[in-house]
Amino acid sequence: MNKKIYSYYSLIFVSLFTFSLRAQVVSVTPRFPIVTDEITLTFDVSQSNDGRAQGLLGLEEGVFLWSGAGENAGSGPTGAFEFAPEGQTDFNSPFTPGTMTSVGEDLWEITLTINEYYNIPEEDQSRIGFLGVLLKNGDGSAQTEDLFLPVFQADEYGVILTSPVPGASLTVDEGEQINIAVLTSESSDVEIFVDDVLEETFEGVTEVDFNLMAALGDELIRRVRVVATNGEDEVIETFTYAIIPESPIAELPSGLQNGQNFDPEDDTRVTLVLTAPENEAVFVVGSFTEWELSEEFIMNRTSDGNQYWLEVTGLEPGVEYLYQYWVNGAVQISDPYADKVLNSTRDGEIPELNYPNLIEHPFPNDDGFRVLTVLETGREPFQWAETEDTYVRPDKEDLIIYELYMGDFLGNHYFGQEGMIDTLSYFKRLGINAIELMPITDHEFDPGWGYDPFAMFAPEKYYGTRENLKEFIQAAHAMGIAVVQDIVFNHQTGLNPYNILSRDPLTGQIEEGNPYFNPVARHPFNVFEDMNHDSPFVREYLDSIAQYWIAEYHFDGYRFDLSKGFTQNNDATDFGDQGQWDDFDQSRIDNITRIANKIWDVDPTAYVILEHFAAGDEERVLGELGMLLWGGLHSPFVNNLNGTNFNVSLDRLTDSIYVGYMETHDEQRIIYEMLQEGESSAVYNIRDLNTALDRSKMAAAFFFPISGPKMLWQWQEYGYDLFLPFDNPGRTDPKPRIWGQDGLGYFGDPDRAKLFDTYAAIIKLTQEFDEVFDDGNVTLDLAGNLKSIRIDHETMNVNIMGNFDVTGQFFESNFVSTGTWYDFLTGDSINVTSVSETMILAPGEFHIFTNQRLEAPGVDLVPFEVEFDDNTVTSNEDLIEAGISVYPNPVIDFLTIRSEAINYNNAKIISLTGAELLNIEIPSGQSEFNIPTSSLNTGIYIVELYGVEQPPVRFRVVK
């Protein structure tokens, strides 16, 4: 049997809690320092058990101490120690007061005075019991584990158990030697007891180095007590060890699955099943075992060595019990299939509204027990309403998805009646028919968007109970709104039970050949730990997750985060080869298709949406198999809306396999981009907020009417314009809301409300006339600064046009017929006398014309009135016939006008928005004159000439 020393959990997540001479990583002089001592810390980086310390080996400079002082060793040096050196705040930057001195061969030293270095006031010095230390490089990418050094008070009797760690739980083989090492500050007698039986005595010593032979006892757990005394004072340190018996071999009973299997006939029993290949023994340890190893709770092992199972009896229905699996007696993990876990570092912040009467974590300060599984028999099943039987989800081609993050969207971030359920009417008014929740499985870090998952069957309790989530989905369905879960199958964090089982017990690094995770990610852009998608164990795990949420919670489908990572084919090093990763990958298609088919086995119409961004032919294959793919249109729309590039392709708008979007959580807001980068002219500035809001309305007019699934990112409909940092810290930090007492006030802003109303009106138009927008004959002209969409259908014809430029433009329309047309957003009517009628479009002006009168959606949603070019001379022949010469056209600095027949006394230059830019008096009798144009920006302008008792002449010039 392989020996697994210490809690595997502690090794991985808080590093090895070790004292001064343990593994000789760090030593301190003097050996028993007091808080006012000057001490020298000596580190031997080569002895570090943390794989990240490899980056420190061989360095000659650029190594820094990161440390703190406190009352106990319950916090790591990177955590919440009470006292720290001044200025030690950014782990990812060099901390120069902690600069280490190299003394050769990976040895580093620093000398400091404890109370001065850590700024410990005199009144607090008597409380200091430990220093927490580690070494790191400048940017924090390489470091040792957390190391703890005891600090003593003057005249205090000092005793240090250097091996094993005090309080450790060891698992060993019978006959194995357990090293016990003790240091004392003065001559002492040291006694070693095993189960209260004296094993060995040492008299008058200051050091003990003793090997205890592990032997079977009456109980599985044997308790070792080390007692040191100097004749006046006594110090006791303890640890335990166990010799793990052989697992009983028994095949898994028929019908059992991984996780908790409840007996439908007996609420006092449950059968627990764990898949954990390549291990030797698993115990169930929990509140029903008094949190100790017991032979009664060793799990049966199947003959192939892959699964463990145990029937637990004598449970009280309706009572929540807590448990872990202790693999090989020491590796503490939660149940990978648990639908509820406790996390001691996060659950304390959950409001009573969201999760009333949440069971208390019994070991909040013990990292080995950080994540516990909750077990409750006799739980009443959720009663789904009859509306679920009649609910029909929207066709995937008609989806208008609203992506939101529960942690930000509402102040109480709650699924229930006073939260998301009460907000469904908001989505309905907007026209949303699907809500995409950013990951809601239990995740590790706060603040966070949920892309750091570890408990894939457990809803995040911060958002409410399991029942609250079902109530929300049920209420959404009753209003015709689908609910999609954004889910993470590419990676998992360190708290994931299978991640823990994949690691080396001493280094904490993922082992080669483990059944679940890749030691090195097989593609670029991976975060946390990359799953091995070719492993049959990973496939079984992910397939189960995919089916579970559809069957148990009635989710309508998934958006799979980073689906391009579902491959093992990228064999490049240094985080992978981008080009290779992008290439067509049949194995990736096979992995994704397998998952999709598992989902469709449960619900044939469930949505499968991929964040993929791979080769076009690969995406085409996946789309033809029935999946949707994210179709990013952020950059094309931003270029057009900013007035910087009008020819960026909008092609993905027209391809129904893509979910088109202008914003997601991964991009800057389009309003922010316009306010920062928008172009301007003399009379038009995109960086003006109201101008940017109007341009966002124009974007909506060219986004929603084109058939195919679409998506909004939360508050896009109110023009959210706060900067998104792309690097942490700050990226996933809580964002100000548009509403609420401490919100941004957008919700009450009439100009922003017009943006919401415009979005809602256009969405409603496309939904009420879905046959027009889905089946009509579409003519698109989306290149250049002037864009148009024409849709012809027997029910109704639609003509959309817009000027994305910052100057006014003449636009030759493309109406299907003459006659009366109606401006949808204003309710105005126009008389079209020519299907190619020339119109004047001011910068940012757009219109949605229909040949049917529709109810106007609001008042003053857009500031534009239709203007035809009826009174403008449009050809050189007309100018010649009027006896007028104009040159040069286009102009540069001057426009010269010659009039042979009529004397003009006044000339004006007017922008296409109607703004008068120049007004020049012409001397009487002068038939040729110049108009200065150097102050004008590039664009099209109207020139008007006025004479006595003569009608004005109007013509356009270009600069």
Side-chain angles (χ1 to χ4, degrees):
M1 178 181 294
N2 294 325
K3 179 173 67 173
K4 306 280 188 178
I5 300 180
Y6 311 115
S7 163
Y8 212 143
Y9 196 113
S10 295
L11 280 165
I12 295 170
F13 301 108
V14 293
S15 302
L16 180 59
F17 287 176
T18 181
F19 293 97
S20 58
L21 298 184
R22 175 72 174 97
Q24 298 179 347
V25 181
V26 61
S27 61
V28 59
T29 304
R31 183 176 287 178
F32 293 88
I34 63 175
V35 71
T36 55
D37 276 349
E38 180 181 83
I39 63 172
T40 298
L41 301 176
T42 303
F43 290 80
D44 184 349
V45 176
S46 68
Q47 296 297 318
S48 173
N49 286 322
D50 195 312
R52 294 170 293 182
Q54 296 292 316
L56 300 175
L57 297 177
L59 297 181
E60 296 181 356
E61 60 182 11
V63 175
F64 304 91
L65 177 69
W66 189 269
S67 60
E71 193 167 352
N72 55 58
S75 299
T78 59
F81 261 110
E82 187 174 358
F83 300 101
E86 184 177 356
Q88 181 184 277
T89 57
D90 184 0
F91 190 76
N92 302 119
S93 298
F95 180 59
T96 53
T99 301
M100 301 294 296
T101 300
S102 173
V103 292
E105 299 182 349
D106 294 315
L107 294 174
W108 298 86
E109 285 189 351
I110 190 171
T111 298
L112 56 89
T113 300
I114 296 175
N115 61 320
E116 295 177 358
Y117 186 78
Y118 296 104
N119 302 304
I120 305 171
E122 184 175 356
E123 62 269 21
D124 293 309
Q125 292 177 7
S126 62
R127 298 191 294 105
I128 303 304
F130 288 91
L131 303 182
V133 300
L134 62 77
L135 292 192
K136 73 178 196 74
N137 62 357
D139 64 9
S141 60
Q143 67 169 81
T144 67
E145 61 266 48
D146 298 351
L147 304 162
F148 292 82
L149 302 170
V151 175
F152 300 86
Q153 300 301 315
D155 301 323
E156 180 183 356
Y157 175 44
V159 178
I160 305 174
L161 178 63
T162 65
S163 176
V165 172
S169 298
L170 313 182
T171 59
V172 295
D173 295 326
E174 185 176 6
E176 188 171 347
Q177 301 293 316
I178 301 173
N179 179 252
I180 300 175
V182 183
L183 300 175
T184 64
S185 60
E186 54 189 272
S187 179
S188 305
D189 294 339
V190 178
E191 296 176 315
I192 299 174
F193 296 85
V194 180
D195 293 339
D196 295 327
V197 176
L198 181 63
E199 185 77 20
E200 192 67 49
T201 300
F202 302 88
E203 295 181 349
V205 298
T206 56
E207 294 187 20
V208 170
D209 192 345
F210 172 70
N211 287 326
L212 173 69
M213 186 180 73
L216 293 170
D218 294 335
E219 301 290 340
L220 183 61
I221 302 294
R222 306 211 68 184
R223 291 165 174 77
V224 180
R225 181 162 46 95
V226 179
V227 181
T229 179
N230 61 0
E232 296 181 2
D233 299 311
E234 182 180 87
V235 175
I236 300 174
E237 297 285 6
T238 63
F239 67 91
T240 64
Y241 75 86
I243 299 171
I244 304 302
E246 294 292 330
S247 297
I249 304 299
E251 299 310 311
L252 188 68
S254 176
L256 296 186
Q257 299 176 335
N258 280 297
Q260 302 169 358
N261 295 267
F262 299 104
D263 187 333
E265 306 298 329
D266 186 350
D267 287 341
T268 67
R269 65 180 65 226
V270 66
T271 302
L272 304 177
V273 180
L274 173 71
T275 296
E278 301 181 12
N279 288 283
E280 299 175 18
V282 179
F283 288 81
V284 179
V285 178
S287 54
F288 42 81
T289 75
E290 303 300 327
W291 294 105
E292 291 188 350
L293 291 175
S294 168
E295 285 193 72
E296 178 186 355
F297 288 91
I298 189 170
M299 302 183 79
N300 300 293
R301 182 182 181 185
T302 57
S303 58
D304 62 8
N306 291 334
Q307 288 186 293
Y308 296 83
W309 62 277
L310 179 69
E311 184 179 69
V312 179
T313 61
L315 301 173
E316 183 178 345
V319 172
E320 289 189 312
Y321 297 89
L322 304 174
Y323 71 93
Q324 290 180 321
Y325 296 120
W326 285 20
V327 181
N328 301 324
V331 184
Q332 298 169 249
I333 64 171
S334 57
D335 192 323
Y337 284 72
D339 67 354
K340 182 178 178 180
V341 296
L342 296 186
N343 182 349
S344 62
T345 62
R346 293 189 63 241
D347 291 351
E349 301 301 319
I350 297 176
E352 180 72 12
L353 167 69
N354 295 25
Y355 214 110
N357 305 313
L358 180 62
I359 185 172
E360 186 176 349
H361 196 295
F363 309 109
N365 297 315
D366 190 323
D367 286 279
F369 294 96
R370 177 176 173 182
V371 180
L372 304 176
T373 308
V374 180
L375 167 65
E376 180 187 358
T377 63
R379 204 166 73 201
E380 288 294 326
F382 184 80
Q383 298 299 315
W384 292 95
E386 292 182 1
T387 51
E388 285 296 290
D389 298 330
T390 57
Y391 164 71
V392 178
R393 64 176 54 97
D395 291 340
K396 64 181 182 179
E397 294 84 3
D398 296 330
L399 285 173
I400 304 293
I401 303 170
Y402 193 97
E403 182 192 21
L404 67 84
Y405 167 47
M406 283 291 299
D408 280 347
F409 188 70
L410 293 178
N412 61 14
H413 42 79
Y414 177 46
F415 285 130
Q417 191 65 52
E418 298 178 30
M420 287 297 294
I421 292 177
D422 286 350
T423 311
L424 286 169
S425 59
Y426 175 84
F427 302 112
K428 197 68 175 177
R429 290 198 308 275
L430 183 56
I432 297 303
N433 59 17
I435 295 171
E436 180 181 299
L437 300 173
M438 287 172 66
I440 52 88
T441 54
D442 215 332
H443 57 277
E444 183 167 351
F445 301 109
D446 273 333
W449 283 345
Y451 296 104
D452 51 338
F454 73 92
M456 294 299 292
F457 292 82
E460 173 55 62
K461 299 184 299 300
Y462 194 63
Y463 306 146
T465 66
R466 293 163 294 203
E467 291 72 23
N468 292 150
L469 176 55
K470 292 177 181 179
E471 290 163 356
F472 163 63
I473 294 173
Q474 177 175 271
H477 287 174
M479 298 182 71
I481 299 174
V483 183
V484 175
Q485 182 182 167
D486 188 349
I487 200 164
V488 182
F489 275 14
N490 174 78
H491 58 266
Q492 296 285 293
T493 67
L495 287 185
N496 180 273
Y498 289 131
N499 195 318
I500 298 171
L501 291 179
S502 301
R503 295 180 178 271
D504 180 274
L506 291 180
T507 66
Q509 301 302 298
I510 291 180
E511 295 181 297
E512 291 285 351
N514 78 82
Y516 289 97
F517 289 88
N518 295 312
V520 177
R522 301 303 292 270
H523 63 86
F525 304 115
N526 183 72
V527 292
F528 301 108
E529 305 302 341
D530 183 36
M531 300 202 82
N532 178 356
H533 284 264
D534 284 354
S535 164
F537 299 103
V538 169
R539 291 177 175 180
E540 177 189 35
Y541 178 56
L542 297 181
D543 291 350
S544 298
I545 298 166
Q547 292 187 319
Y548 172 75
W549 294 96
I550 302 291
E552 180 67 21
Y553 285 87
H554 294 194
F555 272 97
D556 294 277
Y558 300 101
R559 177 266 191 186
F560 285 99
D561 178 68
L562 199 57
S563 59
K564 195 165 63 171
F566 298 5
T567 180
Q568 292 291 108
N569 274 358
N570 192 351
D571 56 8
T573 57
D574 192 24
F575 295 101
D577 183 305
Q578 175 75 50
Q580 180 184 359
W581 190 45
D582 288 344
D583 287 345
F584 186 94
D585 185 340
Q586 185 61 50
S587 72
R588 181 164 55 203
I589 293 174
D590 293 342
N591 281 330
I592 294 171
T593 303
R594 186 200 75 252
I595 295 170
N597 285 333
K598 292 293 184 181
I599 293 169
W600 291 330
D601 285 345
V602 177
D603 189 334
T605 66
Y607 312 124
V608 176
I609 305 172
L610 309 176
E611 183 200 30
H612 208 60
F613 305 125
D617 51 353
E618 179 175 327
E619 295 197 344
R620 179 61 50 193
V621 169
L622 293 166
E624 290 174 352
L625 288 170
M627 300 172 225
L628 295 171
L629 300 102
W630 264 23
L633 291 162
H634 175 78
S635 179
F637 268 102
V638 165
N639 272 277
N640 278 281
L641 291 172
N642 281 354
T644 53
N645 187 347
F646 301 119
N647 293 308
V648 180
S649 174
L650 296 171
D651 290 348
R652 281 192 170 176
L653 266 176
T654 64
D655 195 330
S656 61
I657 71 168
Y658 290 106
V659 177
Y661 59 81
M662 292 183 278
E663 292 184 359
T664 73
H665 62 270
D666 281 331
E667 279 103 7
Q668 291 292 0
R669 300 289 187 158
I670 57 174
I671 297 288
Y672 174 84
E673 301 256 28
M674 283 189 274
L675 295 179
Q676 298 299 314
E677 305 292 339
E679 297 289 338
S680 64
S681 65
V683 294
Y684 187 82
N685 184 3
I686 296 175
R687 300 188 191 190
D688 172 77
L689 175 60
N690 283 338
T691 300
L693 291 173
D694 282 337
R695 290 181 77 86
S696 184
K697 299 171 191 174
M698 178 168 60
F702 284 85
F703 179 69
F704 295 111
I706 297 179
S707 179
K710 303 291 187 295
M711 186 178 74
L712 304 178
W713 166 226
Q714 70 182 21
W715 304 323
Q716 177 182 338
E717 70 280 9
Y718 266 90
Y720 201 83
D721 56 15
L722 269 64
F723 171 75
L724 172 68
F726 287 121
D727 297 315
N728 284 324
R731 180 170 174 77
T732 63
D733 285 352
K735 302 299 186 292
R737 299 176 183 87
I738 68 170
W739 38 48
Q741 183 176 358
D742 299 320
L744 296 171
Y746 289 3
F747 199 57
D749 185 324
D751 292 317
R752 293 184 184 271
K754 289 179 183 179
L755 178 60
F756 175 97
D757 291 341
T758 303
Y759 268 53
I762 297 173
I763 293 171
K764 181 180 179 182
L765 174 68
T766 65
Q767 291 172 339
E768 289 189 350
F769 292 90
D770 60 313
E771 74 277 14
V772 173
F773 293 94
D774 289 348
D775 303 326
N777 181 38
V778 180
T779 303
L780 298 176
D781 185 359
L782 301 179
N785 55 351
L786 297 172
K787 304 184 190 298
S788 66
I789 302 172
R790 177 175 137 180
I791 305 173
D792 303 333
H793 191 272
E794 60 183 12
T795 301
M796 184 174 69
N797 297 318
V798 181
N799 200 324
I800 303 171
M801 58 191 69
N803 176 13
F804 284 77
D805 213 328
V806 295
T807 60
Q809 304 289 330
F810 287 93
F811 176 76
E812 187 173 301
S813 61
N814 184 26
F815 288 99
V816 67
S817 64
T818 59
T820 303
W821 285 74
Y822 302 93
D823 192 338
F824 169 65
L825 290 175
T826 66
D828 295 336
S829 62
I830 61 172
N831 183 34
V832 175
T833 59
S834 169
V835 293
S836 58
E837 190 118 36
T838 300
M839 307 180 68
I840 300 173
L841 293 183
E845 181 177 351
F846 72 99
H847 298 278
I848 302 174
F849 291 112
T850 64
N851 66 346
Q852 286 188 30
R853 180 181 290 279
L854 305 174
E855 182 180 354
V859 178
D860 296 330
L861 294 187
V862 292
F864 311 113
E865 294 183 2
V866 182
E867 183 178 355
F868 291 111
D869 191 25
D870 295 336
N871 298 317
T872 301
V873 177
T874 58
S875 68
N876 287 331
E877 290 78 7
D878 292 333
L879 288 173
I880 293 171
E881 185 176 340
I884 298 172
S885 300
V886 177
Y887 57 90
N889 192 1
V891 303
I892 301 177
D893 293 324
F894 290 94
L895 175 68
T896 300
I897 299 175
R898 173 184 288 275
S899 172
E900 298 177 354
I902 301 174
N903 291 327
Y904 292 96
N905 56 20
N906 187 253
K908 294 180 182 180
I909 293 186
I910 299 171
S911 75
L912 292 188
T913 63
E916 184 178 296
L917 305 178
L918 291 174
N919 191 332
I920 298 172
E921 290 187 9
I922 303 170
S924 175
Q926 188 167 325
S927 60
E928 181 176 311
F929 53 90
N930 294 327
I931 299 177
T933 57
S934 59
S935 62
L936 301 180
N937 291 325
T938 300
I940 296 176
Y941 298 90
I942 303 296
V943 178
E944 295 183 342
L945 300 178
Y946 296 90
V948 179
E949 297 182 354
Q950 299 293 333
V953 173
R954 305 176 75 242
F955 55 89
R956 57 183 104 125
V957 296
V958 179
K959 181 177 180 183

